[in-house]
Each structure stands twice: as C-alpha cells, then as structure tokens.
Amino acid sequence: MGWFWADSSPVVVHTSSGHPPVATNQAPPSGCPMHKKSLDALNPNETRAAESNSASSCPVPHASRGAEEQPKSILSQLNPLNYMFPDLSQKPAPNQAIALPTSREESTIPKGSGDGTWEYPSPQQMYNALLRKGYTDTDVTAVESMVSVHNFLNEGAWAEIVGWEQRFARGLYKGWQICRRGEAHTPEELERHWDGTESPPTLVRFQGRPKDLTPKATMLQVLGWIYPAKFGTELPFDRHDWYVSRDVNGQRREIRYVIDYYSGEPEPTGEPVFYLDVRPAATPLGSAERIIRWGSDVWWKAIGGDKREQDPQPFFRHTSSKPWG
C-alpha cells in the first residue's frame, strides 16, 4: 500500500517540532499526483442514469452495456484509505533511462486495521504514479531522494501525533495533569502518570489537501500581512489530514489530526529544511487539547514555575505591621 506526496515543489522545506533537517541533493519534481483537493466530496461510485428507450427497441440492454463499457474515472480507482492507486506497478516505465529500486520500506506507523504497519512506496512505484497522473517531466534521478524525504517527514509527523496521544488519550483531565508543568517536564510527567493500560494509537487513513488552508495557516497569513516582521511566512506547501484510532474506555474513537508543511531557510550546506505543524483538528475536543497543552506551557513559564519549585514562596506576602499588638 502506498503513501502520499506533496502537490507542489518545495525547493526548501522544514521539519518542525525539533526534528533534524533532512538532507537531499535532489529537488523533488515540480508536481505530485497524490494530493488532490478533498476527494471526500466526490462520489466515485455514482453511475449514469438508464438510457431512454427509443422507438426501435433492441433486445440488448443498452444501459447495462453502456455502464460496463464506460471507463472508470481516476477517482474510482483510488484506495479510499490513502487516495492512491492500489496497483502501482514496479515495472520500469517506457523510455525510462535509469533503473529505480523496487524495494519498499516498512514504516513504524501501525495500521488501523491491526494488520501490521503502513508500507512506503518504492522509488519505481512513485515514479510510475507520477507518470500515471500526467507528470511526464519528472526527473527520474530525483525520485529516490524524494522517497527518502517523504518517508522521513511521515515518521516525524507520526512521532508528533504519538506525543499528543500520550498526553490526551486518557482524557482532558489526565492530559492537564501531564501538561500542567510545561513542555520541559512532560517526559517525567508521562512516566509518573503511566499505568501500563495505555493502548497505542493507529493510523486509519490519511488524505492530502494541499489546496485547503487550515484556519491556523489562514490566521498566520493575516498576521503576516499586518505585522510582516514578526509573523511573515510563506503559505504551507502542503497539508495532510490523518485519522487516528484512539482507545477510549475500551472503545475505538477516530481523531483527526491536521499537518501543515512549511518551507524554511536551507542549511548553509544547501540542505533543505522542513517544518511540520502537527495538532488535532479544531473540533471541540481537539481545541480543548490544544488550549490545555499550549496554555499550560505558557502559564508555567509566566509564573516562573521552575523557580517556584526550587524556592517555594507564597503568592501573597503580608509585610505590613499588624494594626494591633
């Protein structure tokens, strides 16, 4: 089963949340076939209405024959779990000058079905998919680097999602207990509150939506227009929605995560840098989780939480003399 690619060609891209920069000497092709605008709104199973009967009727059912002969649309051929072709060929494309590897790398991301982990496409499959989508100008020499960067970013995105799940999979109150001392103390709080009953999350499906700006990305663009020196940034070059299965009191619940991909300044060596903004979608539950995590970190720093722990002092001091005595 395949994965997803960016729709635009980032010359420079960055991994956020502290992930190290990704090195590659090849720039990805200018387009990518895997990210099309919200396929959920389309119904690939829709069939044509039956043809009207003519005066000279024929014993052959024309409506059925027309439906059988009608070529399938591209959308109807895509896997609904990842919006990719389920039968990406491993054979070299016609006039392919350079042989590409056909080996596929296993990810660390468990499938929602419980059937192992997701598998990344081989360079040959990626190249064939690009050609199948019409990107005939794809540089075959860039495909291996493209796969390497793609796999690295997905692993980084999943690591961020696992971090969110470790905090909030057992509820908002438990999440607040873990987050209340700020991000710097999260590892020790996770260890303190770990009880051995946590069920690891799994990835059910995912979708690329590079043309749809998230509310946060839109807000950042507005702030950048008002105050470019502080908030000015380019638009994210890609967006993914990942649907994660979370265990809630023995029942599986689907949580949607949103990932914005931003480009940063390249390293002095020329290596591209990617930033990933990974967070729960702005649903009521997701918004509460984001407020707790962000707000707790800001509050802890604002009150000097670390210093207060080292040198406890009351919030209010009575230094004036007593009016009696």
Side-chain angles (χ1 to χ4, degrees):
M1 186 170 293
W3 211 251
F4 31 58
W5 291 269
D7 192 28
S8 59
S9 115
V11 178
V12 177
V13 218
H14 41 261
T15 54
S16 75
S17 308
H19 295 297
V22 183
T24 174
N25 296 325
Q26 303 283 356
S30 59
C32 177
M34 294 304 117
H35 294 131
K36 291 300 176 184
K37 193 171 184 178
S38 190
L39 301 180
D40 291 337
L42 302 177
N43 182 4
N45 297 321
E46 184 178 2
T47 57
R48 291 182 177 178
E51 297 177 358
S52 58
N53 294 329
S54 61
S56 56
S57 61
C58 175
V60 178
H62 290 129
S64 300
R65 183 179 63 184
E68 293 175 358
E69 294 179 354
Q70 178 185 359
K72 294 182 178 180
S73 66
I74 289 180
L75 296 181
S76 67
Q77 302 174 47
L78 300 180
N79 185 337
L81 295 181
N82 55 7
Y83 300 96
M84 288 185 56
F85 295 107
D87 57 346
L88 293 177
S89 174
Q90 292 275 29
K91 296 181 179 179
N95 303 320
Q96 181 177 324
I98 300 176
L100 291 173
T102 58
S103 59
R104 303 181 64 180
E105 180 182 346
E106 285 283 344
S107 75
T108 62
I109 307 173
K111 294 180 181 179
S113 62
D115 184 21
T117 59
W118 290 88
E119 189 177 25
Y120 293 124
S122 69
Q124 184 65 63
Q125 285 179 312
M126 177 177 278
Y127 183 62
N128 289 338
L130 289 166
L131 296 180
R132 191 169 179 176
K133 284 286 189 175
Y135 297 91
T136 56
D137 59 343
T138 300
D139 181 5
V140 67
T141 63
V143 176
E144 288 191 64
S145 295
M146 188 176 178
V147 171
S148 177
V149 172
H150 162 270
N151 296 357
F152 176 84
L153 291 183
N154 287 327
E155 293 295 326
W158 181 248
E160 290 292 314
I161 289 175
V162 169
W164 280 96
E165 290 296 306
Q166 288 175 337
R167 290 166 172 83
F168 295 102
R170 290 175 292 169
L172 294 178
Y173 178 68
K174 183 67 71 173
W176 174 81
Q177 289 181 311
I178 295 172
C179 297
R180 64 186 180 87
R181 295 174 63 223
E183 287 291 295
H185 295 280
T186 295
E188 58 187 277
E189 291 297 329
L190 285 172
E191 184 175 355
R192 178 183 303 174
H193 293 280
W194 183 79
D195 56 12
T197 62
E198 292 83 355
S199 178
T202 59
L203 179 60
V204 179
R205 66 185 188 278
F206 45 84
Q207 180 183 9
R209 302 173 60 184
K211 306 299 183 183
D212 299 333
L213 275 183
T214 62
K216 182 177 180 179
T218 303
M219 186 180 301
L220 289 175
Q221 291 302 308
V222 174
L223 291 174
W225 176 73
I226 298 173
Y227 193 178
K230 185 174 180 63
F231 298 101
T233 182
E234 294 182 359
L235 288 170
F237 68 85
D238 198 10
R239 169 191 171 176
H240 289 168
D241 285 12
W242 289 21
Y243 296 82
V244 173
S245 179
R246 172 188 296 180
D247 185 279
V248 180
N249 298 325
Q251 296 183 347
R252 305 303 292 184
R253 181 174 183 178
E254 193 171 275
I255 307 297
R256 181 166 64 96
Y257 282 86
V258 178
I259 310 170
D260 283 325
Y261 295 75
Y262 289 92
S263 299
E265 292 295 328
E267 296 291 326
T269 57
E271 298 172 352
V273 178
F274 304 80
Y275 292 103
L276 308 185
D277 187 359
V278 184
R279 70 276 186 194
T283 60
L285 176 62
S287 298
E289 292 178 359
R290 289 158 70 168
I291 291 172
I292 289 173
R293 183 173 179 181
W294 176 80
S296 298
D297 186 58
V298 172
W299 172 253
W300 184 259
K301 293 176 180 177
I303 66 172
D306 289 337
K307 183 172 179 56
R308 287 181 178 276
E309 283 188 338
Q310 297 171 4
D311 183 21
Q313 296 290 339
F315 278 96
F316 301 101
R317 297 182 181 180
H318 300 281
T319 57
S320 59
S321 60
K322 295 181 181 179
W324 63 85

